[in-house]
Amino acid sequence: MAESVPVRCPACRREHLFAAPSYPCVCGAPVTPPLDRLADPAPVTHRTWDEDWVTVPCDTCGRADQWPQPELGCPCGAMLRIPVRGVRRPLRAEVLPGTGAPADLETEPEPGAAPHTPEPPPPSTAGAPPVSTAGASPAPAAPGSPLVPDHVPLPRTTPTPRPVFQPVTIRTARDAVTAAALYLRWLGYRDIRKADQRPPTGIGLAARGILAQVDPTVRPATLRDVECLWLTAMSESTGCVYFSLAGYADDAHRRADALGIPLFVLDLTGTPQPVNTHADELLATGA
């Protein structure tokens, strides 16, 4: 069980007892960031990707992976970053494991996208003989002309099928966030970024029309986690979706069904699996 340490909020001087969450190492052992009792917590006033992650070694196998920086939300409204001892922060130039993509989600390349190649300019017609138009079909009338009324409906088209999703193997918490971001982009959401408000557990992602919570911890998502996501999405007038590595508690699953929240479980291959009907509908329709 993770060790609890006393934390005093520098804004309101309120005392808290904080225990860092545990995360699953690739060897299966839980990894808990070691908290520094001697250092004071720092209020979070500005977020950067580097400051939100720390590199912590596993006590069982010695593997060093990146995990979310422990944070505590005080009832006074302050968000406190809890110091961790004996760790290093990832470098800005670091790439996401297994993807070759930079750590910044906003600059992550579209999965499977081909490099853009400009089209060659049309050949010059200078000096070419005039082309005869005898016998050619007349050009179609422009919309709005007497021949084509404006109210003619366009023919129905079949939606373009999505390509096969390319997963990212999950070995660290950052891999789980990457897998969820790639899945949202595969569903059709664009401009994926870190959410403005950090959720109580895990990492928040946002895109146009959706707010996602990614929980890479080894405990099932709770009823409070699901309700907090729904309330945040309601305040921003957007939809929401939950990705969990360890599944969901029974009451959390029932509440998500009632609130219309799609629930996905991240398997270690990096492929989100739908676990309720709302997730099935999102998978079928996309963004």
Side-chain angles (χ1 to χ4, degrees):
M1 184 175 180
E3 178 186 10
S4 298
V5 298
V7 176
R8 182 187 293 273
C9 175
C12 67
R13 313 304 297 173
R14 185 175 304 185
E15 288 278 358
H16 302 278
L17 197 62
F18 178 78
S22 297
Y23 302 96
C25 179
V26 67
C27 71
V31 177
T32 304
L35 303 181
D36 191 345
R37 288 174 169 269
L38 302 179
D40 295 327
V44 179
T45 58
H46 177 71
R47 290 195 176 278
T48 64
W49 184 270
D50 292 344
E51 292 180 346
D52 282 346
W53 296 87
V54 292
T55 302
V56 183
C58 174
D59 293 335
T60 302
C61 67
R63 177 189 177 94
D65 284 322
Q66 296 167 16
W67 307 106
Q69 165 74 45
E71 291 185 356
L72 170 67
C74 182
C76 73
M79 179 63 72
L80 308 178
R81 181 173 288 121
I82 311 301
V84 178
R85 68 177 187 273
V87 299
R88 63 177 178 85
R89 296 198 176 279
L91 300 177
R92 170 60 66 180
E94 221 164 13
V95 298
L96 297 174
T99 66
D104 188 352
L105 288 175
E106 296 185 29
T107 60
E108 196 173 349
E110 185 77 14
H116 175 70
T117 303
E119 294 183 1
S124 174
T125 57
V131 179
S132 173
T133 58
S137 300
S145 68
L147 298 180
V148 181
D150 288 334
H151 64 273
V152 175
L154 295 175
R156 289 184 177 271
T157 58
T158 303
T160 304
R162 292 191 299 269
V164 177
F165 176 66
Q166 301 296 328
V168 175
T169 302
I170 296 178
R171 299 185 180 90
T172 68
R174 176 174 286 194
D175 292 340
V177 177
T178 301
L182 292 177
Y183 193 75
L184 289 173
R185 184 170 293 174
W186 177 74
L187 288 174
Y189 295 100
R190 294 294 180 264
D191 301 326
I192 300 171
R193 64 190 188 281
K194 290 190 66 177
D196 296 331
Q197 300 185 44
R198 180 162 184 170
T201 302
I203 299 296
L205 297 176
R208 183 175 301 177
I210 198 71
L211 180 66
Q213 184 166 336
V214 186
D215 187 352
T217 62
V218 294
R219 65 165 182 82
T222 65
L223 174 64
R224 177 176 178 270
D225 296 331
V226 169
E227 289 180 339
C228 286
L229 171 63
W230 181 77
L231 289 172
T232 304
M234 286 290 291
S235 67
E236 299 182 6
S237 301
T238 188
C240 58
V241 58
Y242 206 116
F243 297 90
S244 174
L245 193 64
Y248 304 87
D250 292 339
D251 54 353
H253 196 294
R254 291 192 296 268
R255 185 59 55 89
D257 290 342
L259 297 176
I261 303 175
L263 300 180
F264 290 88
V265 169
L266 292 165
D267 61 27
L268 295 182
T269 67
T271 304
Q273 303 295 335
V275 296
N276 65 353
T277 56
H278 303 297
D280 290 329
E281 292 172 0
L282 179 60
L283 176 59
T285 61

